[in-house]
Amino acid sequence: MLKTAVMVSGGGTNLQAIIDAVSEGRIKGVQIVRVISNKKDAYALQRAAKAGIGSTVVSREDHPDRREFDEALLKALDDSGADLIVLAGFLVVLPAEVTRRYAGRIINIHPSLIPSFCGEGFYGLKVHEEALKRGVKVTGATVHFVDEGCDTGPIILQRAVSVEKGDTPEILQRRVMEQAEWKILPEAIELIAENRVVLKDGRAEIV
Ligand code: GRF
């Protein structure tokens, strides 16, 4: 059983996609053991509670000192007993100690086709605003391993989504979520649970 901790900061629609995939049997051999949020009011926490999944909040309000916050985050992960950590709309840069200790066992969903529209400051709606500003005809989502950088780890899965005439950032975000994020994140977790993702020469390959 692949014990999975999901880290969230907001609405938790990607968390919900994982919960639904597990409960509907579309992903086998995966158990969400903990939901960890940096925001007390994240709706994702209500989604976890409804699904009977325990959660932990590690917020800067409770840990104003960054080093203490980082230690609390690491402790929450260690206490969860997770084999895999999934960043699902988690908006805090992980401490180096976490990316080191869990190297090769942390994945993230990013709402663009990396290497486009990613890196510092590219998260949530901003990603789609920039895609529309650039006039791209295709965008999408990426699941990648997390390393010390920002959106720089090996790419596991990507899915393309068309940009339509009249799209606003909100409409495009919703389409990318529905057609890409909510599909490839559960799929990536299942591939990892089946040991079908291998790292070779710094790239992730599906076997
Ligand atoms: C999504 O756009 C996701 O790609 C990004 O955070 C946003 C919120 O996701 N990482 P969620 O609804 O909280 O899962």
Side-chain angles (χ1 to χ4, degrees), residues 111-112 116-117 122 125-140 163 172:
S112 76
S116 298
F117 310 114
F122 281 95
L125 220 44
K126 164 94 174 158
V127 173
H128 306 291
E129 287 164 1
E130 291 304 311
L132 290 171
K133 202 186 290 180
R134 184 65 183 81
V136 296
K137 307 311 174 195
V138 173
T139 185
V163 179
L172 183 55

PDB file of all heavy atoms in Angstrom, residues 111-112 116-117 122 125-140 163 172:
ATOM      1  N   PRO A 111      -0.171  23.905 -13.220  1.00  0.00           N
ATOM      2  CA  PRO A 111      -1.186  24.141 -14.254  1.00  0.00           C
ATOM      3  C   PRO A 111      -0.661  24.752 -15.548  1.00  0.00           C
ATOM      4  O   PRO A 111      -1.229  25.710 -16.084  1.00  0.00           O
ATOM      5  CB  PRO A 111      -2.159  25.105 -13.559  1.00  0.00           C
ATOM      6  CG  PRO A 111      -1.287  25.893 -12.631  1.00  0.00           C
ATOM      7  CD  PRO A 111      -0.212  24.920 -12.164  1.00  0.00           C
ATOM      8  N   SER A 112       0.454  24.196 -16.070  1.00  0.00           N
ATOM      9  CA  SER A 112       0.920  24.581 -17.405  1.00  0.00           C
ATOM     10  C   SER A 112       1.761  23.428 -17.953  1.00  0.00           C
ATOM     11  O   SER A 112       2.039  22.474 -17.244  1.00  0.00           O
ATOM     12  CB  SER A 112       1.801  25.851 -17.356  1.00  0.00           C
ATOM     13  OG  SER A 112       3.101  25.522 -16.872  1.00  0.00           O
ATOM     14  N   SER A 116       6.961  25.904 -19.881  1.00  0.00           N
ATOM     15  CA  SER A 116       6.273  27.192 -20.056  1.00  0.00           C
ATOM     16  C   SER A 116       5.585  27.621 -18.764  1.00  0.00           C
ATOM     17  O   SER A 116       5.062  26.783 -18.012  1.00  0.00           O
ATOM     18  CB  SER A 116       5.194  27.068 -21.146  1.00  0.00           C
ATOM     19  OG  SER A 116       5.789  26.742 -22.379  1.00  0.00           O
ATOM     20  N   PHE A 117       5.557  28.920 -18.539  1.00  0.00           N
ATOM     21  CA  PHE A 117       4.748  29.523 -17.478  1.00  0.00           C
ATOM     22  C   PHE A 117       4.918  28.821 -16.135  1.00  0.00           C
ATOM     23  O   PHE A 117       3.966  28.357 -15.497  1.00  0.00           O
ATOM     24  CB  PHE A 117       3.260  29.533 -17.890  1.00  0.00           C
ATOM     25  CG  PHE A 117       3.030  30.094 -19.264  1.00  0.00           C
ATOM     26  CD1 PHE A 117       2.564  29.283 -20.292  1.00  0.00           C
ATOM     27  CD2 PHE A 117       3.347  31.418 -19.554  1.00  0.00           C
ATOM     28  CE1 PHE A 117       2.393  29.787 -21.573  1.00  0.00           C
ATOM     29  CE2 PHE A 117       3.170  31.935 -20.832  1.00  0.00           C
ATOM     30  CZ  PHE A 117       2.699  31.111 -21.845  1.00  0.00           C
ATOM     31  N   PHE A 122       4.811  31.894 -10.550  1.00  0.00           N
ATOM     32  CA  PHE A 122       3.815  31.308 -11.455  1.00  0.00           C
ATOM     33  C   PHE A 122       3.010  30.258 -10.699  1.00  0.00           C
ATOM     34  O   PHE A 122       3.415  29.089 -10.587  1.00  0.00           O
ATOM     35  CB  PHE A 122       4.493  30.662 -12.678  1.00  0.00           C
ATOM     36  CG  PHE A 122       4.906  31.649 -13.727  1.00  0.00           C
ATOM     37  CD1 PHE A 122       6.201  32.138 -13.744  1.00  0.00           C
ATOM     38  CD2 PHE A 122       3.998  32.110 -14.666  1.00  0.00           C
ATOM     39  CE1 PHE A 122       6.591  33.067 -14.701  1.00  0.00           C
ATOM     40  CE2 PHE A 122       4.382  33.043 -15.627  1.00  0.00           C
ATOM     41  CZ  PHE A 122       5.689  33.524 -15.653  1.00  0.00           C
ATOM     42  N   LEU A 125      -4.027  31.365 -10.724  1.00  0.00           N
ATOM     43  CA  LEU A 125      -4.589  32.107 -11.863  1.00  0.00           C
ATOM     44  C   LEU A 125      -3.511  32.824 -12.691  1.00  0.00           C
ATOM     45  O   LEU A 125      -3.636  32.966 -13.916  1.00  0.00           O
ATOM     46  CB  LEU A 125      -5.603  33.130 -11.327  1.00  0.00           C
ATOM     47  CG  LEU A 125      -6.890  33.354 -12.105  1.00  0.00           C
ATOM     48  CD1 LEU A 125      -7.515  32.046 -12.573  1.00  0.00           C
ATOM     49  CD2 LEU A 125      -7.887  34.146 -11.266  1.00  0.00           C
ATOM     50  N   LYS A 126      -2.461  33.211 -12.040  1.00  0.00           N
ATOM     51  CA  LYS A 126      -1.364  33.965 -12.706  1.00  0.00           C
ATOM     52  C   LYS A 126      -0.842  33.179 -13.906  1.00  0.00           C
ATOM     53  O   LYS A 126      -0.520  33.738 -14.960  1.00  0.00           O
ATOM     54  CB  LYS A 126      -0.242  34.182 -11.679  1.00  0.00           C
ATOM     55  CG  LYS A 126       1.097  34.588 -12.254  1.00  0.00           C
ATOM     56  CD  LYS A 126       1.281  36.056 -12.271  1.00  0.00           C
ATOM     57  CE  LYS A 126       2.717  36.382 -12.714  1.00  0.00           C
ATOM     58  NZ  LYS A 126       2.847  37.730 -13.240  1.00  0.00           N
ATOM     59  N   VAL A 127      -0.783  31.866 -13.770  1.00  0.00           N
ATOM     60  CA  VAL A 127      -0.263  31.014 -14.853  1.00  0.00           C
ATOM     61  C   VAL A 127      -1.126  31.192 -16.097  1.00  0.00           C
ATOM     62  O   VAL A 127      -0.627  31.400 -17.209  1.00  0.00           O
ATOM     63  CB  VAL A 127      -0.260  29.532 -14.403  1.00  0.00           C
ATOM     64  CG1 VAL A 127       0.113  28.609 -15.555  1.00  0.00           C
ATOM     65  CG2 VAL A 127       0.668  29.330 -13.218  1.00  0.00           C
ATOM     66  N   HIS A 128      -2.436  31.182 -15.902  1.00  0.00           N
ATOM     67  CA  HIS A 128      -3.372  31.280 -17.034  1.00  0.00           C
ATOM     68  C   HIS A 128      -3.430  32.694 -17.592  1.00  0.00           C
ATOM     69  O   HIS A 128      -3.589  32.883 -18.802  1.00  0.00           O
ATOM     70  CB  HIS A 128      -4.746  30.778 -16.582  1.00  0.00           C
ATOM     71  CG  HIS A 128      -4.686  29.412 -15.982  1.00  0.00           C
ATOM     72  ND1 HIS A 128      -4.415  28.271 -16.728  1.00  0.00           N
ATOM     73  CD2 HIS A 128      -4.802  28.986 -14.695  1.00  0.00           C
ATOM     74  CE1 HIS A 128      -4.384  27.220 -15.930  1.00  0.00           C
ATOM     75  NE2 HIS A 128      -4.610  27.616 -14.697  1.00  0.00           N
ATOM     76  N   GLU A 129      -3.267  33.676 -16.731  1.00  0.00           N
ATOM     77  CA  GLU A 129      -3.207  35.064 -17.211  1.00  0.00           C
ATOM     78  C   GLU A 129      -2.033  35.225 -18.173  1.00  0.00           C
ATOM     79  O   GLU A 129      -2.159  35.805 -19.255  1.00  0.00           O
ATOM     80  CB  GLU A 129      -3.043  36.028 -16.021  1.00  0.00           C
ATOM     81  CG  GLU A 129      -4.293  36.193 -15.188  1.00  0.00           C
ATOM     82  CD  GLU A 129      -4.023  36.833 -13.826  1.00  0.00           C
ATOM     83  OE1 GLU A 129      -2.845  37.174 -13.532  1.00  0.00           O
ATOM     84  OE2 GLU A 129      -4.989  36.941 -13.038  1.00  0.00           O
ATOM     85  N   GLU A 130      -0.886  34.685 -17.794  1.00  0.00           N
ATOM     86  CA  GLU A 130       0.315  34.805 -18.639  1.00  0.00           C
ATOM     87  C   GLU A 130       0.157  34.012 -19.946  1.00  0.00           C
ATOM     88  O   GLU A 130       0.593  34.445 -21.008  1.00  0.00           O
ATOM     89  CB  GLU A 130       1.543  34.314 -17.867  1.00  0.00           C
ATOM     90  CG  GLU A 130       1.939  35.221 -16.708  1.00  0.00           C
ATOM     91  CD  GLU A 130       2.193  36.658 -17.159  1.00  0.00           C
ATOM     92  OE1 GLU A 130       2.944  36.847 -18.152  1.00  0.00           O
ATOM     93  OE2 GLU A 130       1.625  37.582 -16.554  1.00  0.00           O
ATOM     94  N   ALA A 131      -0.475  32.838 -19.868  1.00  0.00           N
ATOM     95  CA  ALA A 131      -0.676  32.034 -21.085  1.00  0.00           C
ATOM     96  C   ALA A 131      -1.561  32.794 -22.073  1.00  0.00           C
ATOM     97  O   ALA A 131      -1.271  32.861 -23.275  1.00  0.00           O
ATOM     98  CB  ALA A 131      -1.309  30.697 -20.711  1.00  0.00           C
ATOM     99  N   LEU A 132      -2.615  33.425 -21.563  1.00  0.00           N
ATOM    100  CA  LEU A 132      -3.522  34.190 -22.435  1.00  0.00           C
ATOM    101  C   LEU A 132      -2.815  35.422 -22.990  1.00  0.00           C
ATOM    102  O   LEU A 132      -2.943  35.758 -24.169  1.00  0.00           O
ATOM    103  CB  LEU A 132      -4.789  34.591 -21.661  1.00  0.00           C
ATOM    104  CG  LEU A 132      -5.735  33.428 -21.322  1.00  0.00           C
ATOM    105  CD1 LEU A 132      -6.837  33.888 -20.370  1.00  0.00           C
ATOM    106  CD2 LEU A 132      -6.346  32.830 -22.588  1.00  0.00           C
ATOM    107  N   LYS A 133      -1.994  36.053 -22.109  1.00  0.00           N
ATOM    108  CA  LYS A 133      -1.270  37.256 -22.559  1.00  0.00           C
ATOM    109  C   LYS A 133      -0.303  36.896 -23.700  1.00  0.00           C
ATOM    110  O   LYS A 133      -0.149  37.621 -24.674  1.00  0.00           O
ATOM    111  CB  LYS A 133      -0.486  37.847 -21.372  1.00  0.00           C
ATOM    112  CG  LYS A 133      -0.135  39.326 -21.499  1.00  0.00           C
ATOM    113  CD  LYS A 133       0.749  39.772 -20.352  1.00  0.00           C
ATOM    114  CE  LYS A 133       0.037  39.816 -19.008  1.00  0.00           C
ATOM    115  NZ  LYS A 133       0.948  40.252 -17.903  1.00  0.00           N
ATOM    116  N   ARG A 134       0.308  35.727 -23.581  1.00  0.00           N
ATOM    117  CA  ARG A 134       1.281  35.285 -24.607  1.00  0.00           C
ATOM    118  C   ARG A 134       0.582  34.825 -25.862  1.00  0.00           C
ATOM    119  O   ARG A 134       1.218  34.685 -26.916  1.00  0.00           O
ATOM    120  CB  ARG A 134       2.137  34.165 -24.016  1.00  0.00           C
ATOM    121  CG  ARG A 134       3.254  33.667 -24.933  1.00  0.00           C
ATOM    122  CD  ARG A 134       4.298  34.757 -25.177  1.00  0.00           C
ATOM    123  NE  ARG A 134       5.333  34.306 -26.117  1.00  0.00           N
ATOM    124  CZ  ARG A 134       5.190  34.293 -27.446  1.00  0.00           C
ATOM    125  NH1 ARG A 134       4.040  34.726 -27.985  1.00  0.00           N
ATOM    126  NH2 ARG A 134       6.162  33.901 -28.242  1.00  0.00           N
ATOM    127  N   GLY A 135      -0.712  34.483 -25.736  1.00  0.00           N
ATOM    128  CA  GLY A 135      -1.457  34.067 -26.924  1.00  0.00           C
ATOM    129  C   GLY A 135      -1.218  32.618 -27.336  1.00  0.00           C
ATOM    130  O   GLY A 135      -1.382  32.262 -28.509  1.00  0.00           O
ATOM    131  N   VAL A 136      -0.842  31.772 -26.361  1.00  0.00           N
ATOM    132  CA  VAL A 136      -0.637  30.353 -26.716  1.00  0.00           C
ATOM    133  C   VAL A 136      -1.964  29.727 -27.139  1.00  0.00           C
ATOM    134  O   VAL A 136      -3.031  30.160 -26.696  1.00  0.00           O
ATOM    135  CB  VAL A 136      -0.015  29.559 -25.545  1.00  0.00           C
ATOM    136  CG1 VAL A 136       1.377  30.089 -25.234  1.00  0.00           C
ATOM    137  CG2 VAL A 136      -0.896  29.591 -24.304  1.00  0.00           C
ATOM    138  N   LYS A 137      -1.907  28.750 -28.036  1.00  0.00           N
ATOM    139  CA  LYS A 137      -3.141  28.083 -28.510  1.00  0.00           C
ATOM    140  C   LYS A 137      -3.387  26.793 -27.724  1.00  0.00           C
ATOM    141  O   LYS A 137      -4.489  26.246 -27.746  1.00  0.00           O
ATOM    142  CB  LYS A 137      -3.006  27.740 -30.002  1.00  0.00           C
ATOM    143  CG  LYS A 137      -2.621  28.925 -30.873  1.00  0.00           C
ATOM    144  CD  LYS A 137      -3.488  30.139 -30.608  1.00  0.00           C
ATOM    145  CE  LYS A 137      -2.987  31.366 -31.382  1.00  0.00           C
ATOM    146  NZ  LYS A 137      -3.597  32.618 -30.860  1.00  0.00           N
ATOM    147  N   VAL A 138      -2.307  26.316 -27.082  1.00  0.00           N
ATOM    148  CA  VAL A 138      -2.406  25.089 -26.282  1.00  0.00           C
ATOM    149  C   VAL A 138      -1.703  25.322 -24.954  1.00  0.00           C
ATOM    150  O   VAL A 138      -0.625  25.925 -24.913  1.00  0.00           O
ATOM    151  CB  VAL A 138      -1.732  23.902 -27.027  1.00  0.00           C
ATOM    152  CG1 VAL A 138      -1.677  22.667 -26.141  1.00  0.00           C
ATOM    153  CG2 VAL A 138      -2.473  23.602 -28.327  1.00  0.00           C
ATOM    154  N   THR A 139      -2.337  24.920 -23.888  1.00  0.00           N
ATOM    155  CA  THR A 139      -1.664  24.912 -22.584  1.00  0.00           C
ATOM    156  C   THR A 139      -1.957  23.545 -21.964  1.00  0.00           C
ATOM    157  O   THR A 139      -2.171  22.587 -22.710  1.00  0.00           O
ATOM    158  CB  THR A 139      -2.131  26.096 -21.708  1.00  0.00           C
ATOM    159  OG1 THR A 139      -1.361  26.103 -20.502  1.00  0.00           O
ATOM    160  CG2 THR A 139      -3.610  26.035 -21.393  1.00  0.00           C
ATOM    161  N   GLY A 140      -1.959  23.452 -20.650  1.00  0.00           N
ATOM    162  CA  GLY A 140      -2.218  22.135 -20.052  1.00  0.00           C
ATOM    163  C   GLY A 140      -1.704  22.052 -18.629  1.00  0.00           C
ATOM    164  O   GLY A 140      -1.609  23.077 -17.947  1.00  0.00           O
ATOM    165  N   VAL A 163      -6.686  26.272 -25.829  1.00  0.00           N
ATOM    166  CA  VAL A 163      -7.150  27.599 -25.404  1.00  0.00           C
ATOM    167  C   VAL A 163      -8.245  27.998 -26.399  1.00  0.00           C
ATOM    168  O   VAL A 163      -8.062  27.878 -27.600  1.00  0.00           O
ATOM    169  CB  VAL A 163      -6.005  28.629 -25.430  1.00  0.00           C
ATOM    170  CG1 VAL A 163      -6.496  30.005 -25.012  1.00  0.00           C
ATOM    171  CG2 VAL A 163      -4.875  28.169 -24.501  1.00  0.00           C
ATOM    172  N   LEU A 172     -10.216  29.348 -18.419  1.00  0.00           N
ATOM    173  CA  LEU A 172      -9.088  28.496 -18.832  1.00  0.00           C
ATOM    174  C   LEU A 172      -8.609  27.643 -17.649  1.00  0.00           C
ATOM    175  O   LEU A 172      -8.346  26.449 -17.798  1.00  0.00           O
ATOM    176  CB  LEU A 172      -7.954  29.358 -19.374  1.00  0.00           C
ATOM    177  CG  LEU A 172      -6.737  28.604 -19.917  1.00  0.00           C
ATOM    178  CD1 LEU A 172      -7.131  27.591 -20.985  1.00  0.00           C
ATOM    179  CD2 LEU A 172      -5.714  29.592 -20.455  1.00  0.00           C
TER     180      LEU A 172
END
